[in-house]
Amino acid sequence: GYLQRSGTEYRLGLAVLRGTLMEERMSANLLDRSVGFQAAESALREGEALAATSPVAPTSGCDANSVCSLPDASATDRWLNSGFGGWRDSTVNLGTLGGTPQYFIEFMGLAPTWPGCDRKIPVDDLCLSPRYRITARSQSADRAQVLLQTNFIVQ
């Protein structure tokens, strides 16, 4: 025999289908965000490894290794400036999954290596070390993009 379905059954089926599609989208977004975060973090670690060598920063702008001068307090932050071209491609390439993440390093001046060491007179040569800010981002046009930053003091 023929079983007739009510409008309520169709609406229930449609609601279940919508819920399933929403969960699938949320899972895909979570995967994109996770891959983007891992890509940016790999670039961040690469930048930290370069900063650990205490690179000499240029007096203005950025050099070929994407080591940049002290930021200008009155200018737009470099990572917010769409015209900034000092990003360096990481050696990690995630292909279609996450693209090639990028980073740059900013010299932030000398910083104390332990609390209060800069208040000693005279200041001990071992007290102050170069401090860098490393900014990294994931780069994939059709995936979630993630921006990470860290401060790094060379010891």
Side-chain angles (χ1 to χ4, degrees):
Y2 175 71
L3 180 63
Q4 187 174 7
R5 297 193 186 259
S6 70
T8 303
E9 290 173 334
Y10 285 119
R11 284 190 292 267
L12 180 62
L14 190 56
V16 169
L17 181 61
R18 284 183 185 151
T20 302
L21 289 173
M22 180 63 75
E23 287 176 16
E24 186 177 331
R25 286 187 197 125
M26 290 179 353
S27 295
N29 287 341
L30 183 62
L31 174 67
D32 281 353
R33 173 77 169 81
S34 179
V35 169
F37 183 87
Q38 291 174 18
E41 189 170 27
S42 70
L44 199 65
R45 299 296 170 238
E46 194 171 316
E48 287 176 348
L50 180 57
T53 66
S54 296
V56 176
T59 56
S60 66
C62 302
D63 66 14
N65 288 323
S66 293
V67 177
C68 304
S69 62
L70 194 65
D72 182 1
S74 63
T76 302
D77 288 321
R78 289 178 172 118
W79 66 88
L80 294 174
N81 183 349
S82 60
F84 175 66
W87 294 95
R88 179 179 180 161
D89 285 347
S90 171
T91 57
V92 174
N93 186 335
L94 301 176
T96 58
L97 195 58
T100 302
Q102 297 177 318
Y103 67 92
F104 67 92
I105 302 167
E106 294 174 288
F107 176 68
M108 301 300 287
L110 297 176
T113 55
W114 66 87
C117 75
D118 56 337
R119 287 185 241 138
K120 290 176 31 178
I121 297 179
V123 175
D124 185 351
D125 288 342
L126 299 176
C127 169
L128 301 176
S129 289
R131 181 172 53 114
Y132 300 94
R133 178 171 57 200
I134 302 151
T135 304
R137 68 180 179 185
S138 61
Q139 273 299 97
S140 182
D142 57 344
R143 299 278 188 179
Q145 293 187 353
V146 177
L147 181 83
L148 299 176
Q149 280 187 332
T150 187
N151 288 314
F152 188 85
I153 296 177
V154 178
Q155 301 261 336

